[in-house]
Amino acid sequence: MTEHTAHIEIPDRYRYAVIPHIMVADAATAIDFYQRAFGARQDFRIEAPGGGILHAEITIGRSTLMLGDAGEGETEAASFAAPTSLGGGTSVALHVFVPDVDSLAERAEAAGAEIIQPPKDMFHGDRTVILKDPSGHMWVFLTHVEDVSREELMRRLAAAG
């Protein structure tokens, strides 16, 4: 093995998932919102030399999320844009399972989230809320309420029309 291919253990927090890395127009404000709305914990933060946040990591429940200010730092970062600079649209929704989706929805709305779909029991066995954060990112929070077989899932989906 060369020095670049030597086996180094992957940290537990990154081992079993694709880690979303979102870009926002104001990472410090976004982190504050995620702490108030979702109970996030900030785990890591690197300030950009010219101001702003180059890279930060937060944990929501047991999920890790990376974020930073769009266009900050290295030249490659200028290729990333925040949803607000794209007219408010996004091609990604972030899904997180939580113990109580109803209380999270209340807290998130009070902190400034826009509720797109209020909490409701869904055909797939999860109570679900869909919201948009002030940075323009879409979130789907779920509380698992029942196990649903594939056959039952397909029956419910067909019945929902």
Side-chain angles (χ1 to χ4, degrees):
M1 285 189 199
T2 69
E3 65 181 276
H4 297 291
T5 60
H7 177 73
I8 298 174
E9 192 65 29
I10 298 169
D12 283 341
R13 63 188 279 130
Y14 306 131
R15 188 170 294 162
Y16 303 109
V18 172
I19 308 300
H21 188 152
I22 63 173
M23 304 309 285
V24 295
D26 183 346
T29 298
I31 292 167
D32 178 63
F33 169 80
Y34 298 143
Q35 290 172 325
R36 290 182 293 111
F38 307 154
R41 179 187 74 233
Q42 181 177 279
D43 299 315
F44 185 75
R45 182 171 174 157
I46 301 172
E47 302 290 334
I53 296 176
L54 183 63
H55 180 83
E57 296 180 14
I58 61 173
T59 299
I60 300 170
R62 297 176 68 191
S63 299
T64 298
L65 175 74
M66 297 178 181
L67 69 148
D69 284 308
E72 295 291 335
E74 300 177 20
T75 306
E76 299 86 16
S79 298
F80 297 102
T84 52
S85 69
L86 300 172
T90 182
S91 63
V92 175
L94 304 162
H95 287 232
V96 181
F97 280 87
V98 296
D100 183 357
V101 74
D102 291 275
S103 65
L104 182 131
E106 288 177 24
R107 187 171 70 230
E109 187 173 33
E114 176 187 354
I115 303 295
I116 304 299
Q117 174 197 288
K120 69 178 186 175
D121 293 337
M122 299 297 290
F123 67 92
H124 44 77
D126 302 308
R127 187 157 177 81
T128 305
V129 64
I130 301 173
L131 58 86
K132 183 185 264 190
D133 72 29
S135 296
H137 290 284
M138 298 295 294
W139 293 81
V140 179
F141 285 95
L142 312 98
T143 297
H144 189 66
V145 294
E146 66 173 317
D147 292 329
V148 179
S149 70
R150 177 165 173 70
E151 294 77 22
E152 178 63 12
L153 179 91
M154 297 311 289
R155 186 194 68 72
R156 291 178 183 182
L157 184 58

